[in-house]
Amino acid sequence: MSEVPEYLNRRRVLKALVAGAVGGTVGTLAATKLVHASSEVASSVTAKLPQLPKTPKNISPEMLAKDESFWAQVALNYDKVQGIVNLEHGYWGKMSKQVQEVFIAKTEMVNTQLSVYGRRHFKDDLAHSTNRAAQALGAENEEVVLTRNATESIHNLMRQYNNFEVNDTVLFADIDYPSFKDTMRWLAKTQNVEPVEVILPAQTNQSEILDIYVKAFDKHPNLKLMLLTHVSNQHGLILPVADIAKAAKMRGIDVICDCAQSWGLLDFTIADLNVDWAGFNLHKWIGSPVGVGALYMKKGSLEKISPYPGEIDPNNTLVNKRVHTATSNFASILTVPAAIDFHESIGPANKEARLRYLRNLWVEEAKKLPNIEVLGGEDDASSTGMGAFRIKGKVSLDDAKMLQQRLENEFNVFTVVRVGLASGCCIRVTPQIFISAEEIKQLILALKSL
Ligand SMILES: Cc1ncc(COP(=O)(O)O)c(C=O)c1O
């Protein structure tokens, strides 16, 4: 495991630096230099922030996952609210203290320098952040463009898809993100094509999932475009994306892959997915500030996704012409390299293993309880640190809301209701890497009392 980069371990003294940068000298050579220096933020930051613990040598991620003292040290790098066990970290992630420091410094810098920074230097810094994201994904720089969130990335792919013909079909699944299912239904209506929804069992595994998709492909020979989710937001189920995408490609079906919940929760690179188009965010499991997503489009695959309305790309080679984000949070984008550095310093495989371990702690207990139904992956290959459950037979929205309230009010455990599964509503449980095994015990206690 690499150590945290030096600039992540120091506190900013940027205020003074930036204040001097613009105070009346804009346009001079001195100001130019200062503006540039401050856009590299934080190499001069000094006060103490927690250090990441060194990873013990020769220890597997699975073994390290059980080392509470190691993860307690990791947790020191995060500000944590006291008084409630928060097991709802699927909404958005958390910046480490170091990343937050960089974000604050960048915010101050941008807010001080405004257009002087924006017009002179942002383009280069945006390219730097984009390239860092591409590198971490294992993609080429030209294959990635930063967006504001996964929704922007996926919506643009859906709306700008230009290859429909009469009688075509589009496909999505009950485990997909509810808002994207709605967008697929809207797409079908506006493009005058047929929508098909695949239903997955409440508990399932990799081979069963693949089988269901392949049967759907064979049943709908006019299938042209499908939404495929890497990790379901409802219960953390992993889909065998590469295998499904292979079967789809063989039949000429185009795949839009939703990786909003997977990047950083799982350790993978884009090549592992075997898809041409994917949408990500960095504000969930990568730990960037809120407001950063990414769109991946494999080189040579751009033709069927038109440029964003008004953009021009005659040779279909420019991914950045597929979005037009306009003014967005500069500081969030500038903090991307720091967030990825921090994520990688802990180690993507270590994070994945720790989160799985925390899930298994409560799932193993829950499975012994006759009144609890655990949802999602039946096997390790199909499950992540994110999981879900409900009281057997209680599948309505009201049932799920009541259960969420009981967990919160009687047991001080914060979770969230998820809707959209064909089998009914559920409670999603999503620990983060700063959650301890002790905190998971609080959920187990609650489950045993329900
Ligand atoms: C599976 C899935 N897809 C898409 C999204 C949307 O992500 P974003 O908020 O970054 O647009 C989410 C957010 O929770 C999600 O869980």
Side-chain angles (χ1 to χ4, degrees):
M1 182 172 74
S2 61
E3 292 192 28
V4 189
E6 189 58 14
Y7 69 93
L8 283 174
N9 277 324
R10 299 178 185 167
R11 192 171 288 275
R12 69 208 147 90
V13 285
L14 192 72
K15 227 175 189 165
L17 174 68
V18 193
V22 190
T25 50
V26 171
T28 67
L29 184 61
T32 308
K33 279 184 184 155
L34 280 169
V35 168
H36 194 63
S38 57
S39 73
E40 282 161 10
V41 169
S43 40
S44 49
V45 203
T46 48
K48 291 251 173 315
L49 283 170
Q51 297 277 339
L52 270 180
K54 289 221 161 53
T55 319
K57 293 265 177 271
N58 303 324
I59 183 167
S60 68
E62 290 69 31
M63 284 303 291
L64 187 64
K66 300 176 190 167
D67 183 343
E68 286 308 308
S69 67
F70 173 84
W71 291 100
Q73 276 181 277
V74 170
L76 292 176
N77 292 272
Y78 293 87
D79 284 320
K80 213 169 135 181
V81 71
Q82 301 301 318
I84 189 149
V85 176
N86 187 349
L87 298 179
E88 169 26 6
H89 294 286
Y91 190 173
W92 76 91
K94 196 179 188 75
M95 287 178 261
S96 69
K97 289 180 186 177
Q98 293 87 339
V99 173
Q100 184 175 277
E101 287 294 319
V102 173
F103 178 53
I104 292 168
K106 299 282 189 188
T107 302
E108 288 175 354
M109 182 277 287
V110 171
N111 199 44
T112 304
Q113 300 189 13
L114 300 176
S115 50
V116 177
Y117 165 75
R119 302 230 180 263
R120 283 185 180 161
H121 300 296
F122 179 61
K123 196 169 166 233
D124 288 346
D125 289 348
L126 170 63
H128 178 61
S129 292
T130 306
N131 296 349
R132 186 70 184 90
Q135 181 203 17
L137 277 171
E140 295 188 27
N141 293 345
E142 303 72 39
E143 294 179 321
V144 172
V145 59
L146 293 184
T147 59
R148 284 164 294 193
N149 45 48
T151 300
E152 183 177 22
S153 310
I154 300 276
H155 274 180
N156 287 17
L157 288 170
M158 288 177 183
R159 284 192 314 239
Q160 290 157 227
Y161 183 79
N162 59 27
N163 199 37
F164 287 123
E165 289 167 57
V166 185
N167 295 328
D168 275 346
T169 303
V170 293
L171 178 140
F172 48 92
D174 70 321
I175 59 87
D176 290 332
Y177 188 55
S179 133
F180 291 170
K181 290 191 272 184
D182 291 341
T183 317
M184 287 297 273
R185 288 189 191 100
W186 166 87
L187 188 66
K189 203 167 172 190
T190 53
Q191 295 290 330
N192 208 14
V193 296
E194 194 63 33
V196 169
E197 183 170 1
V198 158
I199 306 292
L200 299 184
Q203 295 87 20
T204 185
N205 57 59
Q206 299 288 279
S207 60
E208 187 175 47
I209 299 168
L210 177 61
D211 194 46
I212 290 169
Y213 273 94
V214 169
K215 282 194 175 121
F217 295 166
D218 291 340
K219 189 169 167 198
H220 301 284
N222 290 344
L223 196 45
K224 181 63 74 64
L225 177 69
M226 67 179 289
L227 172 64
L228 181 55
T229 302
H230 190 192
V231 171
S232 169
N233 91 101
Q234 283 105 339
H235 45 17
L237 179 76
I238 302 177
L239 279 87
V241 167
D243 290 338
I244 296 171
K246 187 176 168 197
K249 275 182 186 171
M250 278 165 54
R251 293 160 173 84
I253 303 164
D254 291 316
V255 176
I256 294 175
C257 189
D258 173 3
C259 296
Q261 283 292 0
S262 60
W263 191 25
L265 177 68
L266 298 178
D267 177 22
F268 68 94
T269 61
I270 195 71
D272 299 331
L273 301 182
N274 186 30
V275 295
D276 288 350
W277 308 326
F280 300 85
N281 59 49
L282 291 89
H283 49 220
K284 288 192 195 287
W285 297 100
I286 297 297
S288 80
V290 168
V292 195
L295 167 63
Y296 164 83
M297 296 183 75
K298 195 185 168 95
K299 229 184 225 172
S301 76
L302 275 61
E303 203 175 336
K304 291 184 211 165
I305 306 290
S306 297
Y308 188 89
E311 297 287 349
I312 293 169
D313 180 20
N315 299 322
N316 286 313
T317 51
L318 302 172
V319 178
N320 62 6
K321 296 291 180 191
R322 268 65 196 168
V323 299
H324 189 111
T325 300
T327 314
S328 50
N329 193 328
F330 298 95
S332 290
I333 292 167
L334 297 181
T335 308
V336 162
I340 296 177
D341 286 350
F342 190 85
H343 166 72
E344 290 184 347
S345 69
I346 298 172
N350 293 334
K351 274 175 77 170
E352 175 181 338
R354 171 65 175 176
L355 293 165
R356 280 176 187 277
Y357 171 72
L358 292 176
R359 175 187 185 266
N360 287 343
L361 286 182
W362 72 264
V363 163
E364 276 164 24
E365 293 300 320
K367 281 182 174 165
K368 293 179 202 158
L369 301 169
N371 59 333
I372 301 288
E373 180 186 10
V374 176
L375 306 176
E378 284 171 338
D379 51 359
D380 278 351
S382 311
S383 35
T384 55
M386 181 183 272
F389 74 96
R390 61 186 162 221
I391 294 180
K392 271 186 191 154
K394 303 273 189 190
V395 299
S396 73
L397 183 57
D398 281 348
D399 290 332
K401 279 184 177 168
M402 220 175 330
L403 183 51
Q404 189 278 334
Q405 283 296 297
R406 281 197 68 193
L407 291 168
E408 186 174 337
N409 298 332
E410 293 176 33
F411 303 98
N412 219 18
V413 173
F414 192 73
T415 55
V416 69
V417 170
R418 292 291 81 184
V419 300
L421 295 176
S423 64
C425 299
C426 61
I427 299 293
R428 184 177 74 189
V429 177
T430 316
Q432 250 283 10
I433 54 168
F434 44 81
I435 293 291
S436 65
E438 203 55 36
E439 287 172 290
I440 299 290
K441 275 192 195 153
Q442 183 82 5
L443 171 67
I444 296 171
L445 197 75
L447 292 173
K448 288 181 174 168
S449 315
L450 290 172

